[in-house]
């Protein structure tokens, strides 16, 4: 019996003694046939430890033979390690397209006490790289990937018992592959999105325990160390990737690495915060300007992951460090809010390719932020709704920790106090005379600080949400700020251009802000 492929002959002197060798050669000789029969063959090999029994028999009896290219006939058992490295573990071979099945089989064989096969796996790193870069898994919930996650982490744990740094090598190879794909822009069965998604899945926060309570998951310390040391390169892999799913998975990888827990100089908090906030407002603006519902839903998905990451980093920030810094997250809100649809008052953004109808709407009127009354619900368009949501999402970055059960009340208060301290430092108060107000209000404002403070809050409604929540959590007096805002809005509603309007609904955002101001004044007995 002779089988030829590309002018290479494998002569079977005796069909019975060469059947096993023929089967092992099928992935190379007849990949289509192997693919078609894969499920049935794999099941038969796995049932009742058949694969282990076959290998044990071959090793003890040397019954099956194979002819080497030199013409030498040797036992199949003696060349099995070579087959593993050259055929089974070939990165682009058919067998590794079934990497999960291979992992199951090798795990079964490795723990078969009859075989002592652990030394036959020539490259645990290669296997794990293939497995993690090619896995297909459900992404609906972290729990849906429980079985796959458990198996891969179990394999990592087994490999680490023999090679302590094996997962570090795996990560280097995985990200080298991802960077190469990103640069070449040639993604197929293996993509940056899939790689990031699988890594995020392995270290997803869930109720599973590996291997015991209180211990890190296998590979986690290497994973965290790699991200801490290379977070900028990892970020560049996905931050501008054309697929939103890839961006979302990238932010999830950073979040699951818990890189903010690391000590040392590798993670630069201010640089990381700057890059994340730039991405935050970029997605805010894109979502605001998107035409189709599908595009907006994609932006929502990315924002969910980015919000989770930024909240985690913010919660662990050094409060003393934040207070010493001259720039902060709040500055970014104020700088980027205008024209971003995130916290600015004008909303007159423009972007090429957004469509004529969208641009026309932007010219007609700015988006409105109003949530304290439902009188305008019928008049709010989709831009208004996303504008409102953008503001609420951004504000949540500053107080999203209020319901965190794992954080002490004191810690929550410390963060809120830091935010308020920085907020008030932007508008240093001065001694004022109430007689001066009596003389010039409502037509004029006597103090520049009132104009500066009032302008900031009028143009950035997000500040109202932040100050409401943070002052409540700290029980800190904000009477100076509320006085300046009150004085400003008294004068605002008496501006001739504003006063002559038949309805305040043209200035719906300022109406909302005035309503929120009145709510801020109630606790201090003003109303």
């Amino acid at each position: 019996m002779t089988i030829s492929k590309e002018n290479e002959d494998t002569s079977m002197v005796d069909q019975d003694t060469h059947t096993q060798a023929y089967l092992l050669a099928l992935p190379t000789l007849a990949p289509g046939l192997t693919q078609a029969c894969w499920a049935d063959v794999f099941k038969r090999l796995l049932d009742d430890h058949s694969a282990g029994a076959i290998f044990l028999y071959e090793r003890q009896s040397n019954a099956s033979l194979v002819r080497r290219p030199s013409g030498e006939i040797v036992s199949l058992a003696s060349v099995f390690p070579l087959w593993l490295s050259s055929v089974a573990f070939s990165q682009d071979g058919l067998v590794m397209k079934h990497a999960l099945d291979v992992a199951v089989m090798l795990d079964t064989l490795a723990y078969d006490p009859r075989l002592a096969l652990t030394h036959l796996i020539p490259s645990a790193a290669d296997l794990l790289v293939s497995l993690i870069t090619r896995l297909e898994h459900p992404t609906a919930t972290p729990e849906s990937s429980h079985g796959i996650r458990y198996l891969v982490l179990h394999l990592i744990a087994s490999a680490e018992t023999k090679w302590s740094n094996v997962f570090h090598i795996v990560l280097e190879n995985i990200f080298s592959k991802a960077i190469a794909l990103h640069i070449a822009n040639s993604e197929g069965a293996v993509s940056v999105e899939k790689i990031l998604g699988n890594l995020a899945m392995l270290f997803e926060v869930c109720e599973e325990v590996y291997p015991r309570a209180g211990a890190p998951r296998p590979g986690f310390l290497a994973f965290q160390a790699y991200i801490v040391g290379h977070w900028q390169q990892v970020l560049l892999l996905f931050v501008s990737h054309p697929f939103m799913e890839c961006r979302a998975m990238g932010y999830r990888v950073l979040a699951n690495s818990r890189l903010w827990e690391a000590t040392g100089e590798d993670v630069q908090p201010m640089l990381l915060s700057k890059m994340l906030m730039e991405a935050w407002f970029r997605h805010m603006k894109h979502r605001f300007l998107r035409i189709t519902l599908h595009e907006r839903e994609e932006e929502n998905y990315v924002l969910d992951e980015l919000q989770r990451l930024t909240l985690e980093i913010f919660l662990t920030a050094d409060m003393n460090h934040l207070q010493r810094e001259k720039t902060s997250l709040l500055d970014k809100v104020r700088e980027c809010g205008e024209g971003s649809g995130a916290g600015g008052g004008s909303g007159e953004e423009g972007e090429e390719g957004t469509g004529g109808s969208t641009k026309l709407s932007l010219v007609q009127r700015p988006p409105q932020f109003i949530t304290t009354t439902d009188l305008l619900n019928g008049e709010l368009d989709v831009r208004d709704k996303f504008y409102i949501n953008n503001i609420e999402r951004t504000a949540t970055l500053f107080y999203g920790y209020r319901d965190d059960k794992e954080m002490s009340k004191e810690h929550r208060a410390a963060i809120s106090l830091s935010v308020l301290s920085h907020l008030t430092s932007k508008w240093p108060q001065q001694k004022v005379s109430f007689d001066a107000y009596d003389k010039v209000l409502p037509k004029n404002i006597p103090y520049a600080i009132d104009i500066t403070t009032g302008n900031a809050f009028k143009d950035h409604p997000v500040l109202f949400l932040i100050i409401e929540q943070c002052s409540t959590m700290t029980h800190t007096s904000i009477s100076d700020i509320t006085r300046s805002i009150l004085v400003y809005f008294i004068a605002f509603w008496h501006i001739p251009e504003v006063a002559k309007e038949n309805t305040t609904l043209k200035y719906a955002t300022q109406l909302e802000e005035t309503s929120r101001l009145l709510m801020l004044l109630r606790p201090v007995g003003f109303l």
Side-chain angles (χ1 to χ4, degrees):
M1 178 179 182
T2 300
I3 301 173
S4 64
K5 181 183 179 182
E6 298 179 358
N7 300 322
E8 293 183 5
D9 292 342
T10 301
S11 298
M12 296 298 188
V13 180
D14 182 283
Q15 184 172 347
D16 290 337
T17 60
H18 289 77
T19 298
Q20 300 287 4
Y22 170 67
L23 291 174
L24 293 180
L26 276 180
T28 302
L29 299 176
L33 175 61
T34 306
Q35 178 68 23
C37 301
W38 181 272
D40 292 332
V41 172
F42 178 78
K43 186 176 184 302
R44 295 193 64 175
L45 288 174
L46 196 63
D47 287 348
D48 300 322
H49 299 284
S50 296
I54 292 171
F55 183 82
L56 182 63
Y57 172 76
E58 291 296 340
R59 189 169 64 182
Q60 292 175 345
S61 67
N62 289 322
S64 292
L65 304 176
V66 62
R67 183 189 297 273
R68 306 190 70 169
S70 63
E72 178 187 8
I73 296 178
V74 297
S75 67
L76 181 64
S78 66
V79 297
F80 187 65
L82 179 61
W83 178 84
L84 283 176
S85 62
S86 62
V87 178
F89 294 155
S90 174
Q91 294 290 323
D92 300 316
L94 181 140
V95 176
M96 287 315 299
K97 291 181 180 179
H98 300 275
L100 185 58
D101 290 341
V102 174
V104 171
M105 180 64 71
L106 290 177
D107 192 58
T108 301
L109 295 176
Y111 282 90
D112 190 327
R114 303 171 299 170
L115 306 178
L117 271 179
T118 53
H119 68 283
L120 292 179
I121 304 176
S123 176
D126 288 346
L127 171 63
L128 289 169
V129 168
S130 292
L131 191 60
I132 294 170
T133 57
R134 294 179 178 275
L135 269 178
E136 300 284 354
H137 67 91
T139 58
T141 64
E143 292 74 18
S144 62
S145 299
H146 171 84
I148 295 174
R149 181 164 48 247
Y150 181 86
L151 174 65
V152 177
L153 292 178
H154 190 72
L155 290 171
I156 293 172
S158 297
E160 286 184 328
T161 60
K162 188 170 183 180
W163 305 284
S164 58
N165 68 333
V166 66
F167 199 58
H168 178 79
I169 297 172
V170 168
L171 291 170
E172 286 184 339
N173 292 338
I174 286 174
F175 279 105
S176 293
K177 181 187 288 287
I179 291 171
L181 289 170
H182 183 65
I183 293 174
N185 193 27
S186 59
E187 299 184 354
V190 178
S191 64
V192 175
E193 175 185 326
K194 181 183 290 186
I195 290 171
L196 294 174
N198 288 339
L199 284 172
M201 175 272 296
L202 291 180
F203 301 104
E204 194 69 67
V205 177
C206 52
E207 298 300 321
E208 304 157 22
V209 178
Y210 300 93
R212 62 185 184 280
R217 292 186 183 184
F220 175 76
L221 295 180
F223 172 61
Q224 185 182 59
Y226 186 90
I227 298 299
V228 167
H230 302 82
W231 66 267
Q232 293 188 65
Q233 296 96 311
V234 174
L235 191 65
L236 291 174
L237 268 178
F238 64 83
V239 70
S240 298
H241 198 279
F243 296 133
M244 292 299 169
E245 174 76 13
C246 186
R247 299 189 195 185
M249 290 299 100
Y251 291 122
R252 187 177 295 183
V253 164
L254 294 184
N256 290 353
S257 74
R258 304 188 67 82
L259 77 166
W260 55 88
E261 296 177 345
T263 58
E265 299 180 356
D266 288 329
V267 176
Q268 304 168 52
M270 298 308 296
L271 178 59
L272 177 59
S273 297
K274 179 178 183 295
M275 294 180 74
L276 292 178
M277 292 313 300
E278 287 175 350
W280 174 267
F281 285 106
R282 185 164 58 249
H283 283 292
M284 284 279 181
K285 180 176 181 178
H286 288 173
R287 186 178 71 148
F288 181 75
L289 294 172
R290 294 302 187 196
I291 296 175
T292 68
L293 179 61
H294 176 67
E295 288 176 323
R296 287 192 167 110
E297 287 176 345
E298 286 186 325
E299 294 285 358
N300 280 342
Y301 185 30
V302 178
L303 282 168
D304 287 342
E305 297 297 337
L306 183 51
Q307 182 171 2
R308 172 190 167 198
L309 173 61
T310 50
L311 277 175
E312 290 281 7
I313 293 175
F314 189 62
L315 295 186
T316 57
D318 182 341
M319 294 300 106
N320 293 325
H321 178 76
L322 283 178
Q323 290 171 357
R324 289 195 301 269
E325 289 294 334
K326 296 183 182 297
T327 58
S328 74
L329 191 63
L330 177 62
D331 293 324
K332 194 63 182 177
V333 171
R334 299 184 67 227
E335 292 167 7
C336 298
E338 292 191 28
S340 69
S346 66
E348 297 182 3
E349 305 88 338
E351 183 174 281
E352 293 184 6
T354 56
S357 61
T358 302
K359 292 184 177 180
L360 178 62
S361 178
L362 288 170
V363 173
Q364 288 176 338
R365 68 166 176 82
Q368 302 294 341
F369 174 73
I370 187 161
T371 62
T372 54
T373 176
D374 57 4
L375 294 177
L376 285 180
N377 285 355
E379 298 183 31
L380 296 179
D381 61 24
V382 67
R383 292 172 55 257
D384 295 317
K385 294 175 182 177
F386 277 102
Y387 179 67
I388 292 170
N389 186 254
N390 281 355
I391 291 173
E392 293 174 336
R393 275 179 176 263
T394 301
T396 302
L397 295 177
F398 294 88
Y399 57 79
Y401 49 84
R402 61 186 174 183
D403 299 321
D404 190 334
K405 304 300 182 183
E406 297 182 2
M407 182 180 294
S408 67
K409 183 178 180 180
E410 292 75 17
H411 192 184
R412 291 197 295 268
I415 297 175
S416 297
L417 184 60
S418 176
V419 173
L420 282 177
S421 297
H422 189 85
L423 197 64
T424 55
S425 72
K426 308 306 293 183
W427 310 293
Q429 295 303 306
Q430 62 189 65
K431 188 175 181 179
V432 298
S433 167
F434 285 94
D435 289 338
Y437 291 126
D438 290 338
K439 290 179 181 179
V440 300
L441 282 175
K443 299 296 184 181
N444 294 298
I445 300 175
Y447 297 105
I449 187 61
D450 297 330
I451 298 174
T452 303
T453 306
N455 261 327
F457 278 79
K458 177 183 75 72
D459 293 339
H460 303 280
V462 66
L463 295 176
F464 279 94
L465 279 66
I466 295 171
I467 203 170
E468 286 169 9
Q469 295 296 328
C470 291
S471 62
T472 300
M473 284 187 278
T474 60
H475 305 290
T476 301
S477 173
I478 52 172
S479 55
D480 287 338
I481 290 180
T482 52
R483 184 204 68 238
S484 290
I485 301 172
L486 174 62
V487 169
Y488 182 90
F489 272 102
I490 289 174
F492 174 82
W493 290 115
H494 285 82
I495 294 174
E497 291 79 4
V498 176
K500 72 179 181 181
E501 291 293 334
N502 294 327
T503 173
T504 58
L505 297 185
K506 180 176 180 180
Y507 300 96
T509 298
Q510 286 68 48
L511 177 62
E512 167 80 5
E513 292 169 332
T514 304
S515 299
R516 289 182 176 274
L517 171 62
L518 296 178
M519 289 188 285
L520 284 173
L521 293 171
R522 282 183 185 141
V524 298
F526 185 85
L527 296 176

